[in-house]
Amino acid sequence: MPAPLRVAVTGAAGNIGYALLWRLASGDCFGPDQPIELQLLEIPPGMERLLGVVMELQDSAFPLVHRITATSDPAEAFQDADAVFLVGSRPRSKDMDRADLVAANGPIFTGQGRAINDHAKRTVKVITVGNPCNTNCLIANANSPDLGDECFSAMTRLDENRAVGQLAVKAGVPPAQIADVFIWGNHADTMYPDLQRATVNHKPAAEIFDSDWLRGEFHKTVATRGKAIIVARGASSAASAASAAVDHMRDWWHGTQGRIVSMAIPSKGWYGVPEGLIFSFPVRVSAQGQIEVVEDLVLDDYARTQIQKNVDALLEERAAVADLL
Ligand code: NAD
Ligand code: LMR
């Protein structure tokens, strides 16, 4: 058996944490033969709940879980971490946009960025889930000057999965028959789900779905799904968010074998997106875990307008947190 990986999860006593930890522990993310050590971070008021979560993890007797640390000290949580899930932060309520959370949650990511910089492995893979996740990732990256940009990402996989879910229902096929759907931009209602390379059962999606539906109801449903769930459930998505985080990290860890997926990563200027913005691009991941942006896509005017909307929104969010960068 390989040596255990150290996997840090922040906000581990929260709703997403409660769904995520069991998926990590059962081997869904890093593989059925890969032991892990869980390093769980909470703020002091969450520690008692976290200890309850740890009791339940112990009671689940997962063969792959070799050690569990529960702490409110970021240095201890990120010590030698191979993978980090930045979940801990406040969710929005139904009258808020995700961007409204910048002021509440942004400051969390300065200290955690510094602690990752000082304590995690130099090859660490960080996924930012806490909202607004693109800009929180920007803050964490800016506060980790000794780590490369390639260590940081934010999650738009939930948006991609939502898009696949909608297409599967519309086409009456299982989600596994749908491939290469991807999301551009911000995890916000400006996001753009793009189907130009998508297929359903190996047939181009454009031959199957009506373009008015794609640009209208489909796009709106995917972009506003987070709010719809908050209204219906009275709480923000948790199990589906945890599942998407597992999908994102699993694909980063093991590669996508040629499939296109969505990851928000620091832009190197691809498709005119300003350098450094954390922007969701269509990517493939090599077997060695290297993220490669798909660079040969043709963008029509509609796509360019959608992408620009996201650039504008993210520039605005960046300006709002300038003092944290
Ligand atoms: P939650 O309130 O149930 O749990 C959050 C946990 O984080 C709490 O236990 C809290 O004590 C802890 N926490 C707060 N500040 C912390 C800090 N500085 N360090 C460590 N822990 C801290 O919320 P949740 O439902 O688990 O959602 C967490 C975040 O994920 C929210 O910001 C939510 O909006 C976001 N989210 C993102 C996506 C996405 O697709 N990117 C999807 C769903 C939810
Ligand atoms: C989601 O998309 O479900 C989350 O980002 C929660 C939210 O605020 O919408």
Side-chain angles (χ1 to χ4, degrees):
M1 255 206 181
L5 295 174
R6 290 186 174 213
V7 181
V9 179
T10 75
N15 286 307
I16 295 177
Y18 198 64
L20 176 61
L21 294 173
W22 269 259
R23 298 285 305 278
L24 298 177
S26 63
D28 285 354
C29 188
F30 299 101
D33 300 317
Q34 175 59 62
I36 58 173
E37 296 183 359
L38 288 169
Q39 305 188 160
L40 311 180
L41 183 71
E42 260 296 340
I43 46 177
M47 282 308 289
E48 196 178 342
R49 263 182 306 124
L50 181 56
L51 293 179
V53 171
V54 171
M55 285 187 232
E56 281 204 76
L57 278 169
Q58 288 166 344
D59 295 350
S60 303
F62 284 111
L64 292 174
V65 178
H66 283 205
R67 191 167 64 101
I68 307 172
T69 307
T71 179
S72 56
D73 176 6
E76 192 182 355
F78 298 134
Q79 188 61 48
D80 294 322
D82 296 282
V84 173
F85 292 78
L86 293 177
V87 180
S89 50
R90 190 184 141 185
R92 66 173 164 157
S93 47
K94 60 176 189 278
D95 50 345
M96 294 168 94
D97 285 331
R98 295 191 189 91
D100 293 335
L101 291 171
V102 162
N105 289 337
I108 295 173
F109 295 85
T110 56
Q112 293 189 357
R114 276 196 292 274
I116 292 169
N117 184 67
D118 294 347
H119 300 284
K121 293 233 172 81
R122 301 301 83 182
T123 52
V124 66
K125 290 177 166 49
V126 179
I127 172 176
T128 315
V129 175
N131 278 319
C133 62
N134 297 55
T135 294
N136 289 337
C137 179
L138 180 81
I139 297 168
N141 189 18
N143 285 276
S144 304
D146 303 331
L147 291 174
D149 280 352
E150 69 282 358
C151 296
F152 288 88
S153 69
M155 184 167 97
T156 50
R157 185 60 172 265
L158 179 54
D159 309 301
E160 177 187 319
N161 288 351
R162 285 169 173 166
V164 170
Q166 291 301 310
L167 297 171
V169 169
K170 185 82 173 172
V173 299
Q177 291 188 11
I178 297 182
D180 296 342
V181 175
F182 47 82
I183 304 291
W184 295 93
N186 198 7
H187 174 60
D189 58 12
T190 49
M191 78 186 70
Y192 173 43
D194 189 341
L195 268 64
Q196 66 169 286
R197 289 280 174 94
T199 56
V200 180
N201 218 353
H202 308 288
K203 281 200 209 100
E207 290 175 12
I208 293 170
F209 303 107
D210 173 64
S211 68
D212 288 344
W213 179 77
L214 288 177
R215 288 185 179 184
E217 193 187 328
F218 164 74
H219 187 161
K220 185 165 174 225
T221 301
V222 174
T224 59
R225 189 70 156 186
K227 176 81 141 249
I229 288 167
I230 291 170
V231 170
R233 234 172 65 85
S236 94
S237 63
S240 57
S243 199
V246 167
D247 289 343
H248 175 122
M249 187 62 85
R250 185 202 55 232
D251 281 352
W252 198 357
W253 208 266
H254 298 288
T256 60
Q257 291 87 38
R259 279 178 303 116
I260 302 177
V261 297
S262 319
M263 290 186 182
I265 55 172
S267 174
K268 299 274 179 259
W270 299 292
Y271 295 98
V273 175
E275 202 154 326
L277 279 191
I278 308 296
F279 202 90
S280 182
F281 291 103
V283 304
R284 294 189 179 90
V285 185
S286 72
Q288 293 71 37
Q290 201 175 333
I291 298 173
E292 288 149 10
V293 170
V294 179
E295 291 196 69
D296 60 345
L297 297 168
V298 178
L299 302 180
D300 60 15
D301 287 348
Y302 182 77
R304 284 189 189 287
T305 308
Q306 299 297 321
I307 289 170
Q308 191 57 44
K309 259 199 242 170
N310 284 279
V311 168
D312 294 345
L314 284 167
L315 287 174
E316 213 172 288
E317 287 185 24
R318 183 167 78 178
V321 299
D323 57 328
L324 304 179
L325 302 176

